[in-house]
């Protein structure tokens, strides 16, 4: 048996310091997982637990490639985030086992067509057009947990054209990585190759063509993306 059309290539990220690739399946994202960002978006982090949304794996933009500004939006925002990479399937994963389901970590951007997202939100429609568009998930190489461990604290920052626009610490995550994995696995069977974007700190804002974004996560790595 053969496919009647050529399948799309499997999206993948380099594994830091190797010639190997990490194949990407789905991209899960956590909303409002830093208290300061929840507040800047007009929400009370104490009363609203974080929630999940998805991007397709083919929204991945591996490091080294430019981000093409989409013609359908006039307000594309950056959201810089710690990314966890799943390598072991699981459903209803207990918090204490969660880290054993992770291959490693990366630095990612949850690029957002804010105008389309807010419009959808206002009309009680899905977020897909605002969040799940092509190239909306730029991501660095994956750093294996066998080398870097499981980061619980450390600086996370983003510079736009050399100016620091987001700055926080991983310890400020409202829901920690094991809790996110446990919770997510109650809603979806996690599979090898799933990426989980863990939420962004305050300071989100717009990009323009010609901008260069440089994000850094202590102990994980960094990511540079040019907006074209
Ligand atoms: Mn986000």
């Amino acid at each position: 048996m053969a496919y009647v059309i050529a399948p799309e290539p499997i999206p993948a990220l380099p594994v830091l310091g190797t010639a190997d690739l990490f194949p990407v399946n789905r991209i899960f994202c956590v909303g409002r997982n830093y208290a300061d960002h929840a507040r800047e978006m007009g929400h009370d982090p104490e009363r609203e637990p974080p929630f999940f949304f998805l991007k397709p794996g083919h929204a991945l933009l591996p490091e080294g490639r430019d981000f093409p500004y989409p013609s359908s939006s006039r307000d594309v925002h950056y959201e810089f985030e710690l990314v966890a990479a799943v390598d072991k399937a699981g459903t209803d994963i207990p918090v204490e086992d969660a880290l054993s389901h992770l291959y490693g970590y990366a630095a990612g951007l949850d690029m957002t067509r804010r105008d389309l997202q807010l419009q959808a939100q206002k009309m009680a429609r899905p977020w897909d057009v605002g969040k799940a568009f092509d190239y909306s998930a730029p991501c660095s190489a994956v750093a294996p947990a066998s080398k870097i461990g499981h980061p619980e604290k450390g600086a996370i920052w983003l510079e736009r054209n050399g100016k620091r626009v987001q700055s926080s610490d991983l310890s400020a995550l409202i829901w920690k990585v094991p809790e996110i994995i446990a919770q997510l696995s109650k809603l979806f069977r996690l599979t090898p190759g799933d990426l989980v974007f863990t939420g962004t700190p305050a300071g989100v804002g717009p990009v323009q063509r010609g901008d260069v974004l440089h994000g850094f996560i202590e102990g994980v790595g960094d990511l540079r993306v040019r907006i074209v």
Side-chain angles (χ1 to χ4, degrees):
M1 298 241 270
Y3 292 118
V4 295
I5 57 169
E8 287 288 297
I10 295 172
L13 292 171
V15 174
L16 198 65
T18 74
D20 299 330
L21 291 173
F22 181 87
V24 171
N25 188 19
R26 296 165 297 182
I27 300 171
F28 293 99
C29 300
V30 182
R32 295 176 209 134
N33 202 21
Y34 289 79
D36 53 358
H37 173 61
R39 276 186 215 104
E40 80 176 345
M41 298 303 283
H43 297 271
D44 178 353
E46 303 306 321
R47 289 195 306 166
E48 295 180 36
F51 58 89
F52 302 101
F53 59 92
L54 279 123
K55 297 174 190 261
H58 283 92
L60 188 74
L61 185 73
E63 63 169 10
R65 289 177 52 191
D66 295 337
F67 173 86
Y69 198 104
S71 58
S72 53
S73 174
R74 308 190 81 96
D75 194 26
V76 176
H77 280 207
Y78 54 78
E79 296 188 0
F80 187 56
E81 314 198 354
L82 172 71
V83 178
V86 174
D87 69 351
K88 199 169 99 193
T91 308
D92 296 328
I93 300 167
V95 173
E96 53 276 19
D97 293 348
L99 295 180
S100 73
H101 289 258
L102 298 181
Y103 177 80
Y105 297 86
L109 280 160
D110 167 17
M111 299 301 286
T112 302
R113 296 193 287 215
R114 193 72 76 201
D115 45 357
L116 301 187
Q117 182 203 17
L118 294 179
Q119 198 180 355
Q121 201 164 309
K122 209 180 292 174
M123 300 172 83
R125 288 179 179 169
W127 278 16
D128 304 52
V129 295
K131 285 289 196 180
F133 58 101
D134 297 326
Y135 317 113
S136 61
C139 197
S140 74
V142 179
S146 59
K147 295 217 177 93
I148 64 161
H150 295 276
E152 292 174 2
K153 56 181 165 46
I156 173 170
W157 54 252
L158 180 75
E159 290 177 353
R160 176 187 176 214
N161 303 328
K163 182 174 172 266
R164 192 74 53 101
V165 287
Q166 292 193 279
S167 183
S168 187
D169 194 281
L170 297 178
S171 59
L173 281 168
I174 298 172
W175 281 23
K176 310 301 178 193
V177 171
E179 295 167 322
I180 294 169
I181 297 298
Q183 193 63 31
L184 193 52
S185 74
K186 291 186 174 136
L187 297 165
F188 301 91
R189 177 176 175 270
L190 294 185
T191 58
D194 288 338
L195 297 180
V196 184
F197 281 54
T198 59
T200 197
V204 301
V207 294
Q208 291 180 340
R209 288 182 185 86
D211 283 355
V212 174
L213 300 176
H214 175 210
F216 170 82
I217 303 177
E218 194 179 341
V220 174
D222 60 354
L223 172 66
R224 279 183 180 77
V225 181
R226 181 179 295 275
I227 313 299
V228 297

